[in-house]
Amino acid sequence: MSMWTSLEPAAVTVDPGAVASLRLRIRNTGDTVEEYRLRPAGDAAGWTRVEPDVLRLYPGAEGTAQVTFAPPRTPDAVAGPTPFGIRVEPAEHPEIRDVVEGQVTVGPFTELRCELVPLAVRGRWRAKAAVAVDNLGNQPLTVSLSGRENGDALTVEAEPGSVQVAPGRAAFARLQIRPAAISWVGGTNKHPFTVSALRAGVPDPTELRGTYIQPSVLPRWAMAVCSLLVAAALAFVALWFTAQPTVATSAREKAGVPRKLPENQPKPPSPPPPPPSKAPEEKPEEPAPDPSKDEGPKEQTIRSNANGGWYLQANGGSQVDGTQIGQSAQWTDDQFGRNQWWIIHHYPEDNTVALESGSAPGSVVQLKENTNEVELWKADPEQLKSGQLPPQQKWRLVDADDGRTRIVNMRNQECLTDTQNDKGALSWQCSDGPNDVQDWKIAEGP
């Protein structure tokens, strides 16, 4: 044995964002000059520093190094005791290297972020939304969710009613929103509602406010048209029974002996012969359409129905597999190589389409494996032509009225959803009735 080591103290406590330190002592008990390299090890190595990291000691000499811990205020520094180690590696005698072990206890901190997605929902009979709960602290959290409506106009239910979120992770809960009464006539009603997110051990909840938009089943113009039709029908029936004429005659046949007509009565002239029929003129045959002039699918734009219409785009005009498909509120024209133009390939045999990027020929929109994120990926040319693409690369266009279209993926049957940012679009469970972030307008220009 050619060295002696000691930690003073062997355990230390530090809060995230703060700094704590201890001392490492090393003595050269051998008979030659030795150089010791010091390296942190274990889960805390990322935020542990040793100064100096090299000690050169003569026989019998002792050196000291300071070990400093600076855990970040992020979920990476998990709350609680964490073992650590300092590797001591002699340069001359590496076979006697050692690991000096100790324990650092990281204090807890809590940071919670909740978001209601989307902020406004729409539906005649019911609507769906979601609450995203992000744990930005360094200890597990339990959050209870409850809905509250203003008055008795709505019922808001969270499923599940509580979620457990690990540090650095996110959890989602779905909201079922139902009106207390159906609005048959009267335009569109807006009902505000509140979702409370209560963290265990904290008396005050985080409140998320949203709006439920409830259109009437029958719009006002339909009622006006029905009233006019009923009034017209009643007027027609009244005229039919009051204005029908009655015809009477006073003529009578006079009795008497029939008279015989004279024999030399001239015969009436024969009718003239009909004019000769004219043969129908033959129309010249129209030339058959030339199939070689088929222009194929055209480039089109795809815009969401939310906030003035964000453009679907291949972010940055990149042609690399895995490029995010995002949205932009601005029309960029050819700045990024026509990345906001799309070629829609239609396959009649199963009524599906493929969305090919105008800036990345041969690359189509698909769902990222095991996620609901939307990305750009190179398609097999023969499969793109024949329509024999994998389900994650195929979509179905569903008419949503008023010139709007739902874009449904064939792998998970979820709708392409505008997240209202320039990062990335997602697929999400299709809502019932109109939904601005899931309704798209497809056109041949901006």
Side-chain angles (χ1 to χ4, degrees):
M1 185 72 176
S2 64
M3 67 176 176
W4 170 86
T5 58
S6 175
L7 279 175
E8 297 176 355
V12 68
T13 300
V14 61
D15 291 328
V19 176
S21 61
L22 50 78
R23 185 172 60 174
L24 171 64
R25 297 170 58 194
I26 301 176
R27 183 184 302 154
N28 184 357
T29 59
D31 53 6
T32 60
V33 177
E34 187 64 85
E35 184 177 87
Y36 302 94
R37 297 182 178 89
L38 310 178
R39 301 287 185 273
D43 294 339
W47 35 272
T48 304
R49 186 173 68 254
V50 182
E51 293 180 343
D53 57 358
V54 175
L55 289 176
R56 184 178 179 83
L57 302 176
Y58 288 95
E62 182 177 309
T64 302
Q66 186 175 17
V67 181
T68 303
F69 303 96
R73 193 174 175 82
T74 66
D76 297 332
V78 180
T82 301
F84 72 90
I86 305 297
R87 289 193 181 93
V88 182
E89 300 177 351
E92 299 296 331
H93 300 281
E95 70 278 1
I96 63 170
R97 62 181 178 272
D98 191 16
V99 177
V100 185
E101 296 181 346
Q103 179 175 284
V104 56
T105 301
V106 180
F109 81 96
T110 301
E111 187 173 346
L112 180 67
R113 183 174 64 191
C114 300
E115 184 178 2
L116 180 63
V117 182
L119 295 177
V121 294
R122 186 183 183 94
R124 291 183 174 88
W125 321 101
R126 63 183 181 274
K128 296 179 181 180
V131 176
V133 181
D134 293 316
N135 184 359
L136 305 180
N138 65 348
Q139 59 180 341
L141 294 179
T142 299
V143 179
S144 300
L145 301 170
S146 60
R148 184 176 76 252
E149 61 281 359
N150 296 335
D152 299 327
L154 296 177
T155 299
V156 183
E157 297 179 354
E159 182 183 353
S162 64
V163 293
Q164 293 183 343
V165 193
R169 304 302 297 271
F172 292 86
R174 298 185 182 274
L175 295 178
Q176 299 284 348
I177 306 171
R178 297 183 178 87
I182 303 301
S183 176
W184 294 100
V185 182
T188 300
N189 299 319
K190 293 184 178 181
H191 305 288
F193 65 91
T194 303
V195 179
S196 297
L198 180 62
R199 179 164 54 90
V202 176
D204 298 326
T206 300
E207 293 191 342
L208 308 174
R209 290 178 173 81
T211 303
Y212 173 63
I213 303 173
Q214 184 188 17
S216 299
V217 177
L218 297 176
R220 292 179 178 177
W221 64 264
M223 292 300 299
V225 171
C226 291
S227 301
L228 291 176
L229 292 177
V230 170
L234 293 176
F236 177 77
V237 171
L239 290 173
W240 175 264
F241 286 103
T242 59
Q244 184 175 6
T246 302
V247 179
T249 180
S250 59
R252 294 290 185 270
E253 184 178 356
K254 186 177 180 179
V257 181
R259 293 188 301 170
K260 187 176 180 180
L261 295 175
E263 293 182 0
N264 295 329
Q265 184 75 15
K267 295 181 179 181
S270 300
S277 61
K278 188 176 182 181
E281 297 181 359
E282 295 185 358
K283 296 183 179 180
E285 296 183 357
E286 297 181 359
D290 187 359
S292 63
K293 295 183 179 180
D294 186 8
E295 297 179 357
K298 299 179 180 179
E299 288 187 342
Q300 296 177 293
T301 56
I302 302 176
R303 301 179 65 182
S304 74
N305 205 46
N307 291 340
W310 287 42
Y311 292 90
L312 192 72
Q313 66 178 17
N315 285 351
S318 174
Q319 300 181 357
V320 179
D321 285 352
T323 298
Q324 281 188 322
I325 301 299
Q327 308 87 199
S328 173
Q330 303 296 326
W331 172 248
T332 60
D333 202 5
D334 293 338
Q335 181 180 357
F336 299 105
R338 301 181 71 81
N339 68 322
Q340 292 178 341
W341 291 91
W342 300 93
I343 301 175
I344 302 179
H345 298 268
H346 182 240
Y347 308 113
E349 58 273 7
D350 59 357
N351 193 25
T352 60
V353 299
L355 306 178
E356 180 184 5
S357 173
S359 62
S363 295
V364 298
V365 177
Q366 73 167 18
L367 283 189
K368 187 176 181 179
E369 190 69 24
N370 299 323
T371 71
N372 67 337
E373 299 176 7
V374 185
E375 63 181 2
L376 193 68
W377 203 267
K378 192 73 173 179
D380 181 87
E382 291 299 325
Q383 293 180 348
L384 182 61
K385 182 178 180 181
S386 64
Q388 302 299 316
L389 294 165
Q392 66 267 22
Q393 293 182 347
K394 299 184 75 175
W395 306 78
R396 175 164 291 144
L397 303 182
V398 180
D399 184 17
D401 295 333
D402 297 332
R404 298 174 297 181
T405 301
R406 294 281 176 91
I407 305 176
V408 183
N409 186 262
M410 302 305 295
R411 188 187 77 183
N412 60 7
Q413 301 301 316
E414 292 185 346
C415 286
L416 182 66
T417 302
D418 178 6
T419 58
Q420 292 290 288
N421 59 56
D422 58 358
K423 293 181 180 178
L426 302 173
S427 73
W428 199 264
Q429 181 176 353
C430 299
S431 63
D432 297 330
N435 188 345
D436 287 344
V437 297
Q438 290 185 341
D439 293 342
W440 301 84
K441 294 182 179 179
I442 301 175
E444 295 184 0

